[in-house]
Amino acid sequence: MNDLDFFAAVIKALPDTVFEVDADGRFTFFHAPGHDNNGSEYVGTTVRDHLPAAAADLILGATQRCRALKQPQIIKYAVARPYEPTCTFQAHLGLVESRDTVVAIVRDITAEARHEAELNEQKRCLEEANTSLEQFVYLASHDLREPLSGVAGYATLLQKRYAYALDHNAAHFVDMIVGGTQNMEIKIDGLLSLSRINKGVLTGTFPLGAAVDSARRCLFGPLQGVDVEFQFPSTTTPLIRGDRGQITQVFQNLFSNSIKYRQEGQKLTIAVGVEDCPEQANMLRVSVKDNGIGFDMKHADRIFGVFQRLYTVHQYPGTGIGLAIVKKIVERHGGKVWPESEPGNGSTFFFTLPKA
Ligand code: ADP
């Protein structure tokens, strides 16, 4: 088989249209499977003879760029036909220097383009629904705070000023009201923080170690009286792209959980690890590992839900919103978060973040 036979066979086997145009935009070769005579009658006519002006402009513009830059070009164009759905095509163009022509391979991508448009529309609707849900959560939490502060304020007044007039049961009931309203205020604050996460700026660049250090400094209160050793490979502080305040918040939430869920009578160790993400070259995989009480992995998904906890407030204080915030921040940065744990054997929380 000589070269010409070979290339003719390749062109015939292609499901795509292949054409060649000269410097005047005139077809010097045309092969379109499915057309009468494979479209050979197009030879000698011009691109503008067959295509609407907008599509012809795009193709001829790309052939000119191909000639001027001596580089292949890829374009997409749409062709609307009366009483038929608009078709979308993708053309790959390459220069044939010896013939001073441009050859193009054109594929009908109407189905993919429609699918992509549908997906984009669904994404837009989801984003819109998400934004209005966040706005609703923000407004509802904000408006609930005011009457709640009133209840909390008056219950505290009752507790302080009328303690002498309350019998044992009444005093206990007032204590319960004060405790309940405080708990609700903390939960509402958590919801407010959750609804504000999408407002942060994602374009900052900072060393991961800076966020770890800031988070550690914020832990002064919870760390009081706790024997803890932090391990962090400070020599490697890779640069992260994102919202520094939010990433600090991620470490703060994870560290404070490690402190809260530590094993009694044992020195707490918290180790932060960083490595390249094996699955995604542009991401880092960060881990926060503790030697605390751990948990059963059957709860691995549940613990990231809003207000989901594995203990009562009497066993361990908390609102069940810390990990929901961690998940939302990490996902907003294009990453994912997952745990590994075993009851009595500590927990490791892994998450991925974009490299700067
Ligand atoms: P909270 O600590 O207020 O309950 P979180 O959303 O931070 O809320 O955590 C949800 C649950 O996940 C906790 O109630 C706890 O059962 C479990 N958990 C989180 N971090 C750890 C950890 N480091 N060790 C053991 N359990 C943990």
Side-chain angles (χ1 to χ4, degrees):
M1 201 193 218
N2 65 32
D3 283 355
L4 273 179
D5 286 346
F6 173 76
F7 288 117
V10 169
I11 288 173
K12 274 191 194 149
L14 277 177
D16 307 319
T17 294
V18 180
F19 64 72
E20 182 190 38
V21 278
D22 64 17
D24 302 325
R26 197 169 291 279
F27 292 117
T28 45
F29 173 84
F30 203 99
H31 180 92
H35 276 52
D36 294 341
N37 298 323
N38 290 326
S40 56
E41 72 275 11
Y42 281 43
V43 174
T45 62
T46 68
V47 173
R48 290 201 187 280
D49 292 336
H50 301 283
L51 285 171
D57 285 348
L58 274 172
I59 293 175
L60 294 172
T63 58
Q64 277 166 9
R65 282 198 302 282
C66 202
R67 279 168 196 289
L69 305 170
K70 293 197 166 85
Q71 271 178 5
Q73 303 288 317
I74 302 175
I75 52 162
K76 275 187 194 171
Y77 60 91
V79 178
R81 296 194 170 95
Y83 312 114
E84 277 182 49
T86 298
C87 289
T88 310
F89 297 94
Q90 185 172 52
H92 289 243
L93 299 98
L95 182 64
V96 189
E97 274 194 81
S98 59
R99 289 157 65 95
D100 191 27
T101 57
V102 169
V103 74
I105 299 177
V106 182
R107 181 164 292 184
D108 184 341
I109 57 159
T110 307
E112 290 98 310
R114 200 169 297 147
H115 185 60
E116 196 182 316
E118 276 167 15
L119 280 182
N120 282 340
E121 178 59 14
Q122 277 172 9
K123 190 170 164 238
R124 197 190 57 76
C125 289
L126 276 176
E127 277 169 3
E128 225 174 75
N130 209 14
T131 309
S132 43
L133 200 66
E134 267 167 14
Q135 254 163 14
F136 168 75
V137 171
Y138 178 79
L139 289 174
S141 325
H142 196 263
D143 286 3
L144 281 176
R145 243 188 159 285
E146 205 182 293
L148 189 65
S149 301
V151 177
Y154 283 110
T156 312
L157 277 180
L158 210 56
Q159 206 180 27
K160 284 188 181 151
R161 291 203 195 154
Y162 294 92
Y164 65 90
L166 301 176
D167 67 14
H168 178 72
N169 271 349
H172 176 63
F173 296 158
V174 174
D175 285 351
M176 296 294 277
I177 296 174
V178 171
T181 50
Q182 277 168 353
N183 195 10
M184 234 167 124
E185 275 175 335
I186 297 171
K187 283 191 171 175
I188 286 177
D189 286 347
L191 280 180
L192 279 170
S193 319
L194 204 61
S195 71
R196 282 197 205 107
I197 286 172
N198 276 342
K199 293 192 169 55
V201 183
L202 286 180
T203 47
T205 301
F206 56 94
L208 186 79
V212 174
D213 286 343
S214 308
R216 277 179 58 177
R217 277 197 297 274
C218 297
L219 290 174
F220 182 71
L223 271 177
Q224 295 261 309
V226 179
D227 188 11
V228 57
E229 181 190 335
F230 269 100
Q231 294 168 358
F232 179 59
S234 54
T235 43
T236 52
T237 52
L239 286 180
I240 297 291
R241 183 171 43 76
D243 185 317
R244 180 172 166 167
Q246 290 189 348
I247 302 302
T248 301
Q249 176 83 61
V250 166
F251 282 112
Q252 212 177 312
N253 290 10
L254 293 177
F255 292 163
S256 51
N257 276 349
S258 295
I259 295 165
K260 185 164 40 173
Y261 302 107
R262 65 187 183 274
Q263 310 242 31
E264 280 304 321
Q266 192 179 321
K267 180 176 182 152
L268 169 66
T269 55
I270 303 176
V272 178
V274 197
E275 57 185 345
D276 283 337
C277 180
E279 298 92 28
Q280 284 170 287
N282 57 338
M283 304 289 274
L284 287 170
R285 189 169 74 178
V286 187
S287 56
V288 175
K289 180 180 167 66
D290 64 45
N291 60 344
I293 60 172
F295 56 86
D296 192 324
M297 279 297 278
K298 71 178 181 206
H299 303 299
D301 287 335
R302 187 159 85 82
I303 55 174
F304 290 97
V306 178
F307 299 145
Q308 296 295 324
R309 343 193 38 232
L310 304 183
Y311 300 96
T312 66
V313 262
H314 304 294
Q315 291 167 296
Y316 290 95
T319 53
I321 215 157
L323 288 182
I325 289 179
V326 166
K327 184 168 190 276
K328 190 152 184 200
I329 293 177
V330 170
E331 286 181 353
R332 188 171 173 249
H333 282 75
K336 54 183 182 159
V337 55
W338 69 100
E340 263 175 27
S341 188
E342 206 185 316
N345 270 330
S347 315
T348 308
F349 283 85
F350 294 94
F351 55 99
T352 55
L353 288 177
K355 293 179 191 172

